[in-house]
Amino acid sequence: MFSVCERMSSLQFDDVLLEISNQLSSDELEKLKFLYREKIGKKDREKINSGIKLFQVLTERGELGAAETEALSERLQQIQRHDLADKLTTFESPSGNTDSEPDQAEKAKLDIATEVIAENVGRHWRKLGRKLGLGDVKLESIGRRYPTELEETVVELLKAWRKSRGAQARAKELIEALRACDYNLTADKVEGKLAAQGY
């Protein structure tokens, strides 16, 4: 049985998909179908004539769900519909969802680490992203979103990592990843700021 919260989440997700479907042009739908060609065979693709039908097929195949939106979000960005991708991103992080977040103290430490890393990592952010376990598709997606603003790119990178780690996200992991990339000065700065804040 689904809980009330899960049913609400599912209904809200359906609303978001309906809204996205309504805003897709036929040309954009064709581009999305093309980007999903490895997941959906030619015969099935030919039967898809709306965004909703595409989303139904993806849901049936386990490629799309309320907790499985990243792939669709990235493909929407690939067809330059960042506005629609943002609708999914907004849905992914409802304010009431605390189960997938670290406790308040760890969140404060992560916020401090994010600020220091964003100010110091610069153009080498992809190396850090790979060390944190983010895939190349995700990194490309992040890079396209902020092509000229390195600090914003790093903030987005760390947000994606925090989301992937959920309640297990730890500032210590970020420091270890920095050292593994030989960004020891930045790691020292993170530790120094954490210590200055009493952590």
Side-chain angles (χ1 to χ4, degrees):
M1 292 288 290
F2 290 112
S3 70
V4 173
C5 287
E6 285 171 326
R7 282 201 299 271
M8 282 294 293
S9 179
S10 180
L11 287 169
Q12 289 164 349
F13 184 57
D14 288 346
D15 287 343
V16 172
L17 292 182
L18 270 171
E19 192 176 345
I20 291 172
S21 177
N22 290 338
Q23 293 185 44
L24 284 173
S25 69
S26 55
D27 182 52
E28 287 165 343
L29 177 61
E30 288 305 312
K31 288 177 182 174
L32 275 181
K33 285 160 61 176
F34 171 75
L35 292 171
Y36 273 109
R37 66 194 181 282
E38 290 181 10
K39 304 289 184 185
I40 305 171
K42 188 179 178 185
K43 282 186 179 179
D44 287 332
R45 286 203 312 275
E46 286 170 353
K47 293 175 189 171
I48 294 170
N49 57 12
S50 69
I52 284 299
K53 284 197 176 175
L54 172 63
F55 302 151
Q56 281 176 335
V57 171
L58 292 172
T59 302
E60 287 164 8
R61 297 183 182 199
E63 297 289 336
L64 179 63
E68 191 69 42
T69 61
E70 190 172 296
L72 177 58
S73 180
E74 287 176 2
R75 283 166 173 83
L76 287 168
Q77 288 178 42
Q78 282 178 277
I79 65 169
Q80 304 303 312
R81 288 307 301 266
H82 302 287
D83 57 325
L84 300 182
D86 286 344
K87 287 182 189 297
L88 277 178
T89 306
T90 303
F91 174 81
E92 283 170 2
S93 49
S95 56
N97 182 12
T98 55
D99 292 342
S100 62
E101 295 181 354
D103 62 36
Q104 286 301 114
E106 193 61 43
K107 279 172 74 174
K109 286 158 71 173
L110 286 164
D111 289 344
I112 291 167
T114 297
E115 183 184 335
V116 176
I117 293 168
E119 289 170 358
N120 289 276
V121 167
R123 60 192 177 86
H124 302 295
W125 62 273
R126 288 173 196 271
K127 184 178 179 182
L128 177 62
R130 290 190 185 96
K131 193 60 69 177
L132 289 169
L134 296 174
D136 284 341
V137 174
K138 185 66 178 173
L139 295 176
E140 284 303 316
S141 168
I142 292 168
R144 277 197 304 273
R145 198 176 291 189
Y146 299 105
T148 59
E149 299 173 53
L150 285 175
E151 279 195 32
E152 288 299 325
T153 300
V154 178
V155 169
E156 197 66 25
L157 167 74
L158 296 177
K159 273 167 61 179
W161 170 78
R162 283 172 71 163
K163 185 183 154 201
S164 72
R165 296 290 290 135
Q168 304 305 311
R170 295 288 180 270
K172 183 183 171 189
E173 282 184 67
L174 292 176
I175 293 166
E176 288 171 354
L178 288 167
R179 296 204 183 284
C181 292
D182 291 326
Y183 301 155
N184 290 308
L185 184 60
T186 302
D188 290 343
K189 286 182 180 180
V190 173
E191 288 179 333
K193 186 141 189 192
L194 288 171
Q197 299 287 333
Y199 294 112

